[in-house]
Amino acid sequence: MTQPSPYFIRRTSRLEEPVRGAGFGPGGFDEEEGRIDLLGYWHVIRKRLALVIGVVFAAVVLSTIYAFMQTPMYTAAATILLRPGTPQVMDEKDAQQGEEEEYDLDYNDNFQKTQYEILRSRSLAAYVIRAENLEQNKSFIGPKPQPGLISSALSSVSHWLNHTSGRKPPPPAADSATTHNGVPGGLINAYLGGLRITPVTDTDLVSIGYVSTDRNLAAKLANAHAHGYIRLGIELRSQSNEEAENFLKERLGELKDSLEKSEVALNDYRRAKGIIPGLMSLDGKETVVLDRVSELSKDLTTAQVDRIGIEAQVQLINSRKYDALPAVTNDAGVQVVQTQLTSLEADYASMAKKFKPDYPPMLQLEAKRQELQRRLAAETSQVISGIQASYQAATDKETKLQAEMDKERQRALGLNDAAVEYAILQREVDTNRELYESVLQRMKGIALAAESQTSNIIIVDPAETPGGPSSPKKFSMIVRNSALALVAVIGLVFGLEYLDTTLKTPEQVERYMHVPNIGAIPSFANLRLKAKGTTLLPEDNGIKKIGYGRELLGVANPYSLVGEAYRTFRTALMLSRAGAPPKTSLFTSAHSADGKTVSATNTAAMFAQTGARVLLIDADLRKPRCHRVLALENSSGLTEVLTGTCEVQDVIRTTVVDGLSFMSAGSLPPNPTELLGSERMSQVLDLIAHEHDVVIIDSPPVMPVSDALLLATFVDGVVLVVNSQKTSKHHVKMAYAKLEYSRAKIFGVLLNEIDVKHPGYGHYSHYYNHYTRSDPDFETPVQDPDGPDNA
């Protein structure tokens, strides 16, 4: 009797949950998923590193060529101090007051911006050109440019570089035909093209720079622009002062007439109302009347408070709640009578327990009680009458005070009306007098300022001849353009990566699917193994000659790169369920040609190498392919067993792999779904599971047909094979959802055809290099003319 293999697997309930792979959090999440994966970003870039290096290298070369083709430019700069306001020529006190008024105004920012625009204005440029006679300066005019293809191209490149460097281009050439103050527009455009106005941050300083091919001309024009700005400001200020003085003269006469008329009107009102200045305040209120109104207001408030307090007691009286009145409960007479009445009632109640009401002593007590009740009512009525009298008195007092208050208020309003009109006339006189004196003082100040030729602009540092060129800055230009090219190509790389919808690495599988990735099989489409022990199919069966050495790479060379990958997957599959390894495993995929057949076959071969009794079943009754991988004929198989034509033992065949048996698909039935989902299929699997240690089933893909969904209910678990080169994430997720809907136990994902040279597989690259150097059974990878092998 055959001894059981150490890898004998007991049949477990299909309700048992598979154990998630090590290193995963709940639900298959990576516990470090929330962190930024910098290594992953580097892998994306490294994947297309050649493109990145090529683009950056091209940018460096082109930038270098352009930088060395540029004409050296020299920049000289003069620094001036801008202060708001005009220079003061008055005495020290007036000057200090004027300076404080200027800085109290909130227009300093607008003043600075205005001066910047004046410094860049065409009027100032024309002024400097005329003053320096630049129309005749050959260094400034320079040679006329010759039109041509090269010059046009360089002009376009120069425009782009100016835009990226932030340099302001000169005004458009459309103005070159016009003139400004007698200076041609083209000359002004050329001048403004070399001008650089730069404010010094957080100061009132402004740098006036000029860029030219002539270093001496650059310094000359920078100083000329500063001096021209000062001279132009003085001329404009003198012109504006003259216009202001003429305007103030006219305004002064008008203010003088207004002042005289307002003084006459004030004097006439005094006589008409009998107002003596000094006896009435200008705010329209008289002190004695106000004091009287204030006192009456206080008395009225006190009376209202008293009346409200008594009114609360009157309301209790009207409600006949006499016991709640403090005056009643606190009255001495009421308290004496109430005490006597309480004592008498106690005696009466005591005797009533022993005697009848007609007993003479009882009658005497009743008479006394009635007398005391009459006395209590009389005392209470007397107190209530007092309260009512007090309430009437308080009400009368409040009414009288209110009437007196109204009289005093009317009297005060009458006095206020006269005082208000008087105050209005007085303020009009004061306002006209202040305006007149202010305009007069201002006109005197303008007259003094017009006689002086001072400016509030100070040249802090004059421009000096530059010692070296300021542009082109070859190194910074090359670095800047290279950095821009690097950023652009990295954006392109990540865009291409975003458009790639396949799952390339196990980390992507776990992060996107939330299930463990239990295996990663390198692509061996480009690996060619030396044919040793290759078994070929007969040529007359119409099947292409295939040796197991190509697709059963783990058997041909078990310690190769692919063999190690399948061995790792075998171990993960054995540990994928709690309690015991799975016995029946179903291999499926989202679409055809994802590698499920080759993966199932190699996995079965790897289990056979452990000494286990392994059976590989080709359950793809539509497009069977396992027999091709094993180089066997597709004779009687699963179809014949399910239809009852053959028994299970009759269709199980041995293979070239020790310990591996094989059940082919058999004939192609017209109803594969009904056969695979039948009770007969479940019985066959139960029978096979008792006779073998490991059963590997290759099934059709999930998306096109439902065969795999039916088979998934009969096995311990399902392995979803994903092709990393062409299976999209969306289709993988749909296939996974279908399997979950059918209540299949999914062990995990087997990532197939991974690129060992992908940056995410550095360890595979290491193994790959090691085995290709040391293993004589491997040759240099070449393209197999038959196409991909693990499909």
Side-chain angles (χ1 to χ4, degrees):
M1 183 175 180
T2 306
Q3 293 296 325
S5 169
Y7 292 99
F8 179 77
I9 305 169
R10 67 175 179 87
R11 187 67 182 267
T12 58
S13 172
R14 289 193 292 268
L15 297 179
E16 294 184 11
E17 287 292 334
V19 177
R20 300 295 184 184
F24 295 92
F29 282 103
D30 188 352
E31 295 176 349
E32 299 181 353
E33 182 179 358
R35 298 188 302 178
I36 297 177
D37 188 6
L38 298 179
L39 184 60
Y41 295 157
W42 163 243
H43 287 165
V44 173
I45 297 173
R46 185 180 172 187
K47 182 178 177 181
R48 295 180 174 87
L49 190 59
L51 175 62
V52 175
I53 294 175
V55 172
V56 174
F57 179 75
V60 171
V61 172
L62 293 178
S63 300
T64 303
I65 294 174
Y66 177 79
F68 282 94
M69 289 178 61
Q70 294 297 298
T71 303
M73 304 297 290
Y74 298 89
T75 301
T79 304
I80 62 174
L81 174 64
L82 290 179
R83 298 295 298 273
T86 57
Q88 303 293 335
V89 293
M90 298 177 287
D91 57 15
E92 182 179 356
K93 180 178 179 181
D94 293 338
Q96 182 179 2
Q97 182 179 0
E99 184 177 359
E100 292 177 355
E101 291 176 355
E102 290 168 358
Y103 278 95
D104 286 341
L105 299 177
D106 189 19
Y107 69 91
N108 186 55
D109 291 342
N110 291 334
F111 169 79
Q112 298 288 346
K113 294 176 182 178
T114 302
Q115 299 308 308
Y116 302 154
E117 295 302 321
I118 293 175
L119 285 168
R120 302 186 185 101
S121 65
R122 300 177 69 82
S123 298
L124 180 56
Y127 182 88
V128 176
I129 290 173
R130 289 198 310 271
E132 299 297 328
N133 195 23
L134 295 180
E135 297 181 66
Q136 307 299 326
N137 192 321
K138 294 182 179 180
S139 297
F140 175 75
I141 298 175
K144 295 183 178 181
Q146 299 295 329
L149 181 62
I150 297 179
S151 61
S152 299
L154 291 179
S155 177
S156 300
V157 175
S158 177
H159 176 75
W160 177 78
L161 290 176
N162 287 335
H163 177 72
T164 56
S165 61
R167 292 164 52 183
K168 186 177 180 180
D175 298 336
S176 60
T178 62
T179 59
H180 192 87
N181 295 335
V183 180
L187 204 60
I188 295 177
N189 290 343
Y191 179 84
L192 292 176
L195 183 65
R196 303 287 182 269
I197 304 299
T198 307
V200 180
T201 306
D202 298 331
T203 67
D204 292 330
L205 300 177
V206 180
S207 173
I208 301 176
Y210 201 87
V211 181
S212 175
T213 56
D214 187 344
R215 66 180 70 193
N216 296 320
L217 180 63
K220 177 182 177 181
L221 293 183
N223 289 323
H225 198 83
H227 289 287
Y229 170 65
I230 294 174
R231 290 195 298 269
L232 182 61
I234 292 175
E235 292 179 5
L236 295 176
R237 192 177 299 111
S238 299
Q239 181 180 357
S240 63
N241 286 340
E242 183 178 354
E243 295 175 356
E245 186 176 4
N246 294 332
F247 169 76
L248 290 177
K249 285 181 180 179
E250 298 177 1
R251 184 61 178 160
L252 191 64
E254 297 175 359
L255 290 175
K256 184 177 181 181
D257 294 338
S258 300
L259 178 60
E260 292 176 354
K261 291 179 181 179
S262 61
E263 288 178 343
V264 170
L266 177 62
N267 193 39
D268 292 342
Y269 186 78
R270 287 173 180 170
R271 292 178 180 179
K273 298 295 183 179
I275 297 175
I276 301 175
L279 297 182
M280 179 176 288
S281 59
L282 295 182
D283 58 0
K285 296 181 180 179
E286 204 275 324
T287 306
V288 176
V289 176
L290 284 180
D291 292 343
R292 176 63 177 164
V293 171
S294 178
E295 292 176 0
L296 287 174
S297 178
K298 293 179 181 179
D299 294 342
L300 178 60
T301 300
T302 302
Q304 289 175 342
V305 172
D306 294 341
R307 190 260 305 165
I308 291 172
I310 300 175
E311 186 176 7
Q313 300 183 40
V314 172
Q315 291 178 354
L316 293 175
I317 293 172
N318 294 335
S319 302
R320 298 185 178 277
K321 297 179 180 179
Y322 304 139
D323 294 339
L325 291 172
V328 173
T329 57
N330 297 330
D331 185 74
V334 172
Q335 291 178 354
V336 171
V337 175
Q338 183 66 42
T339 301
Q340 294 176 356
L341 180 60
T342 302
S343 177
L344 183 63
E345 288 179 345
D347 295 341
Y348 183 84
S350 177
M351 292 181 65
K353 295 178 181 180
K354 301 178 180 180
F355 304 100
K356 295 182 179 179
D358 56 354
Y359 183 63
M362 291 287 292
L363 294 176
Q364 293 177 359
L365 289 177
E366 177 64 23
K368 290 181 180 181
R369 186 176 66 173
Q370 292 179 357
E371 179 62 25
L372 288 176
Q373 288 179 344
R374 284 193 297 270
R375 287 177 57 189
L376 179 62
E379 291 292 338
T380 302
S381 177
Q382 183 177 359
V383 174
I384 290 173
S385 299
I387 294 174
Q388 292 175 340
S390 299
Y391 176 72
Q392 184 62 38
T395 303
D396 295 341
K397 181 179 180 181
E398 180 184 0
T399 303
K400 291 179 181 180
L401 287 174
Q402 183 66 49
E404 187 67 21
M405 180 71 179
D406 293 339
K407 290 180 182 180
E408 291 297 329
R409 187 177 297 164
Q410 292 296 328
R411 181 182 177 187
L413 291 175
L415 292 175
N416 282 341
D417 291 341
V420 168
E421 185 65 24
Y422 175 78
I424 292 174
L425 294 174
Q426 182 66 48
R427 281 197 295 270
E428 185 176 357
V429 171
D430 295 340
T431 301
N432 290 334
R433 183 178 291 110
E434 290 177 0
L435 286 174
Y436 178 79
E437 293 176 354
S438 176
V439 171
L440 181 61
Q441 185 69 21
R442 180 62 177 166
M443 190 174 66
K444 292 179 181 179
I446 290 177
L448 291 175
E451 296 177 359
S452 65
Q453 296 294 323
T454 59
S455 174
N456 61 326
I457 309 301
I458 302 173
I459 298 179
V460 178
D461 290 324
E464 298 179 356
T465 303
S470 58
S471 66
K473 297 180 179 179
K474 300 176 182 177
F475 179 75
S476 62
M477 180 188 298
I478 294 171
V479 171
R480 181 181 63 251
N481 294 338
S482 301
L484 291 175
L486 179 61
V487 172
V489 73
I490 288 179
L492 176 62
V493 166
F494 278 97
L496 295 175
E497 185 69 18
Y498 177 78
L499 295 176
D500 187 358
T501 61
T502 58
L503 298 169
K504 297 294 185 183
T505 64
E507 290 78 10
Q508 293 179 359
V509 172
E510 295 162 4
R511 188 161 49 243
Y512 182 76
M513 298 294 298
H514 299 167
V515 295
N517 184 90
I518 58 176
I521 308 302
S523 174
F524 50 93
N526 295 333
L527 297 177
R528 187 177 66 182
L529 186 69
K530 288 182 178 180
K532 59 177 183 178
T534 302
T535 303
L536 302 179
L537 290 175
E539 296 187 17
D540 56 355
N541 62 359
I543 302 176
K544 182 176 59 176
K545 296 181 179 180
I546 300 176
Y548 73 81
R550 186 176 64 179
E551 293 185 310
L552 282 180
L553 197 57
V555 178
N557 195 336
Y559 298 100
S560 63
L561 175 63
V562 179
E564 288 292 343
Y566 276 114
R567 185 176 289 104
T568 303
F569 168 66
R570 179 191 65 190
T571 303
L573 187 60
M574 293 173 61
L575 301 175
S576 60
R577 197 178 65 166
K583 194 165 190 179
T584 54
S585 302
L586 180 72
F587 280 67
T588 187
S589 61
H591 297 287
S592 60
D594 281 348
K596 60 178 180 58
T597 299
V598 174
S599 298
T601 308
N602 279 276
T603 302
M606 283 297 169
F607 271 104
Q609 290 180 357
T610 64
R613 295 170 299 171
V614 182
L615 175 62
L616 173 64
I617 302 177
D618 192 346
D620 191 347
L621 303 184
R622 300 173 187 270
K623 293 182 179 180
R625 191 171 176 273
C626 288
H627 62 281
R628 293 173 180 256
V629 179
L630 293 172
L632 298 174
E633 295 181 358
N634 183 20
S635 57
S636 299
L638 181 60
T639 301
E640 284 71 20
V641 173
L642 296 178
T643 57
T645 307
C646 298
E647 295 297 329
V648 175
Q649 293 77 8
D650 298 335
V651 297
I652 296 178
R653 290 175 288 173
T654 60
T655 64
V656 293
V657 181
D658 294 337
L660 175 61
S661 301
F662 174 62
M663 179 187 292
S664 64
S667 304
L668 302 184
N671 56 344
T673 304
E674 287 74 9
L675 291 178
L676 294 176
S678 64
E679 182 65 24
R680 175 61 177 166
M681 184 66 192
S682 178
Q683 295 173 0
V684 169
L685 288 179
D686 289 337
L687 177 61
I688 292 173
H690 285 293
E691 296 178 355
H692 296 83
D693 298 333
V694 179
V695 179
I696 303 295
I697 304 173
D698 178 32
S699 70
V702 175
M703 299 300 294
V705 293
S706 61
D707 299 1
L709 302 180
L710 298 173
L711 287 172
T713 62
F714 300 147
V715 297
D716 293 338
V718 180
V719 175
L720 183 60
V721 180
V722 176
N723 192 307
S724 66
Q725 302 300 322
K726 60 183 179 181
T727 309
S728 68
K729 299 176 182 177
H730 179 66
H731 291 164
V732 174
K733 206 161 197 176
M734 290 179 62
Y736 180 79
K738 285 188 174 184
L739 290 170
E740 275 199 330
Y741 183 75
S742 65
R743 296 188 177 182
K745 304 303 180 292
I746 303 174
F747 293 141
V749 172
L750 174 61
L751 194 60
N752 190 34
E753 279 203 57
I754 64 171
D755 183 6
V756 294
K757 305 225 178 139
H758 187 279
Y761 297 101
H763 56 291
Y764 280 120
S765 300
H766 171 74
Y767 294 152
Y768 176 80
N769 294 330
H770 171 72
Y771 281 110
T772 52
R773 286 195 305 266
S774 61
D775 196 333
D777 291 330
F778 274 102
E779 296 179 355
T780 304
V782 295
Q783 182 64 40
D784 194 312
D786 295 331
D789 296 290
N790 42 347

